Amino acid sequence: MNLNNKAVLEKANAAITEGDHEGFLSFCTEDTEWAFVGDKTLHGKEAVRQYMAKEYLEPPNFMVEHLIAEGDFVTAIGKIRMKNKDGETVVYAYCDVWRFRDGKMAELKAFVIETESK
């Protein structure tokens, strides 16, 4: 399957929305690196797997407003709605900048800000 980077990200996000962590991870390189600006950086697919198991107690709901592709980069801007550890629904505004390598997601720089909780 030869998908462009935008299509790869859309398929990966669809998998995570369905709670399919392994399906999502199949679109990542083994050495993927996720930097949450102002927070933490995850190194490697196993670290991302552990993060998802802990943070995505229920599948998140992505509301992508803009998806911009240029070369090896895809930027997604939108909102994400998910439950926190207390079971409260939280909405975040986000801007994810993905770098692709050989058709897979190799690096993420994520800017995430909580906008509301219920």
Side-chain angles (χ1 to χ4, degrees):
M1 176 177 359
N2 186 12
L3 300 172
N4 67 39
N5 294 340
K6 246 172 140 173
V8 169
L9 182 58
E10 288 171 331
K11 285 192 171 288
N13 279 346
I16 204 67
T17 298
E18 295 168 7
D20 182 3
H21 297 177
E22 291 306 313
F24 177 91
L25 289 168
S26 73
F27 294 101
C28 295
T29 61
E30 284 299 321
D31 63 344
T32 192
E33 185 170 289
W34 289 19
F36 295 93
V37 175
D39 191 8
K40 62 181 155 260
T41 300
L42 307 176
H43 302 278
K45 196 182 274 191
E46 184 56 34
V48 173
R49 181 179 285 115
Q50 290 174 17
Y51 169 83
M52 289 178 164
K54 182 177 142 189
E55 297 296 326
Y56 295 167
L57 302 175
E58 288 185 19
N61 180 356
F62 291 94
M63 297 155 280
V64 179
E65 296 166 357
H66 302 285
L67 204 55
I68 306 157
E70 172 96 20
D72 292 336
F73 292 88
V74 176
T75 299
I77 301 168
K79 294 182 180 161
I80 183 170
R81 181 184 314 272
M82 56 192 280
K83 294 219 174 172
N84 65 15
K85 293 175 181 103
D86 298 324
E88 298 170 327
T89 299
V90 181
V91 178
Y92 300 91
Y94 77 92
C95 177
D96 287 349
V97 180
W98 291 94
R99 185 178 60 79
F100 283 74
R101 185 175 71 234
D102 300 324
K104 292 200 171 199
M105 299 180 297
E107 184 180 351
L108 166 65
K109 187 173 277 190
F111 302 84
V112 184
I113 301 168
E114 183 177 329
T115 58
E116 61 184 88
S117 61
K118 297 178 182 184

